[in-house]
Amino acid sequence: MRTQVGIVGAGPAGLTLAQLLRAEGIESVVLEARSREHVEHRIRAGVLEQGTVDTLVGAGAGERLRREGIVHHGIRLQFGGERHRVPLSELTGGAAIVIYGQTEIVKDLIAIRLAAGEPLLFEVEDVAVHDLESDLPRITYLHDGRAHELECDLIAGCDGFHGACRAAIPAGVLTEFSREYPYGWLGILAHAAPAHDEVVYCHTDRGFALLSLRSPEVSRLYLQCRPDEDVAGWPDERIWEELEARAGIPGHSLNRGPIAEKSITGMRSYVAEPMRHGRLFLAGDSAHIVPPTGAKGLNLAISDVTLLAEAIAGRHRSGGTALLDAYSDACLRRVWRAEHFSWWMTSMLHRPPDADPFDLRLQQSQLRYVVQSEAMARSLAENYVGLAGAAALTVPGAPAPA
Ligand code: APR
Ligand code: PHB
């Protein structure tokens, strides 16, 4: 079998890329290791930057997002028992964020692709990529018990941090940067009306807590915990009590309700450079990971594939590879900005395991500075809503885009 672009992974990166390419008349095949049921029920983050919304709407995948997405013009920072608003839109000339679960984006994109009859295979096994430095890279895999081979012009590695694509790049090609944090996030999805109208990031002596939401009926709530902690040690009652202890302030107690999902994830920062080897292009979590404080993971993945689709379309139209050659550097500029921002938010808000009162006072002072200084608040705000243009594709020697 032959296709123009072989896409490994049906997360937001792979599915959005396939949809963007289809709009350009470029065919692709998407290969996913897990079942449709599995990918449609993985609970992930849910804060979309304007650029992410624009890409999804522009790709024809924004119908439900526009109907059900909740626009927020600010976030809250809570510390020392007080809640302060960071007015994102006021500070950024009108930019906002949209609350819409990554899981919902994945469902929307899968439905569109299958309705169009375009190839998207689930439960594919033993995916391997070959001949990456040749003009005809290949993907081999097992599906329905049979071995298959897919010849491609290009391969997009959208298979997440533990996928097969980055791992297939020969040793010595990539430079890797990483940091593990001594924190985990215990996340719950609760059928309880959010008692807060905006996302609230809470710094406390007991550790970090985050109040978010998915709809007027569903809250998404997180607690800092140890990265290796067993979720069994967190019965519902303990979670609600700890959330109340960290996030409750007079007049703002939480609404409780049945907990639909409960999980613990570790936190890391990671970047692999470059995001390309021969005809293999990495996008999303396969190339970089951020800790979730700041909600950049999904937005970076969509930003990568927006640039990748543009570069592939450029090659398709003119045969030239200048945009593809510029892909990795363009992505990495934005990736590193988000890496820094996510690391900074994480460090400012979490309680280090060995924290002493000095650490906590420094964090509180930094938080106070952010809410009191317009310059600091604006810096947080413009990073939070996404720095437009931070990742424009530029080709050396060509005029800069307007
Ligand atoms: N073969 C095929 N598919 C694979 C393989 C493989 N060897 N390994 C992993 N996959 C699939 C996974 O099952 C998953 O569906 O690749 C997909 C990768 O999707 P994500 O992990 O969601 O990554 P990405 O699309 O880059 O989106 C990044 O996801 O993890 C969050 O916070 C992150 O929001 C960010 C977003
Ligand atoms: C979420 O709603 O899941 C969420 C919100 C903000 C974050 C991370 C996750 O920083």
Side-chain angles (χ1 to χ4, degrees), residues 58 110 119 149 152 240 253 323-324 397:
I110 289 174
E149 181 173 278
C152 314
W240 289 117
S253 57
L323 294 180
L324 281 172

Side-chain angles (χ1 to χ4, degrees), residues 12-14 44 102 157-163 166 268 270-272 275 282-290 296-302 304:
R44 297 274 182 81
Q102 176 173 323
C158 302
D159 49 350
F161 186 67
H162 300 288
R166 192 184 71 250
R268 69 152 64 86
Y270 173 88
V271 182
M275 289 170 55
L282 302 178
D285 277 15
S286 75
H288 43 72
I289 298 284
V290 286
K296 289 292 159 211
L298 168 67
N299 294 294
L300 282 181
I302 302 299
D304 288 351

Side-chain angles (χ1 to χ4, degrees), residues 55 63 72 117 138 223 249 259 272 275 323 342 348 396:
T55 292
E63 201 230 331
H72 279 192
R138 292 175 300 122
L223 285 171
I249 50 174
I259 296 180
M275 289 170 55
L323 294 180
S342 308
M348 176 167 69

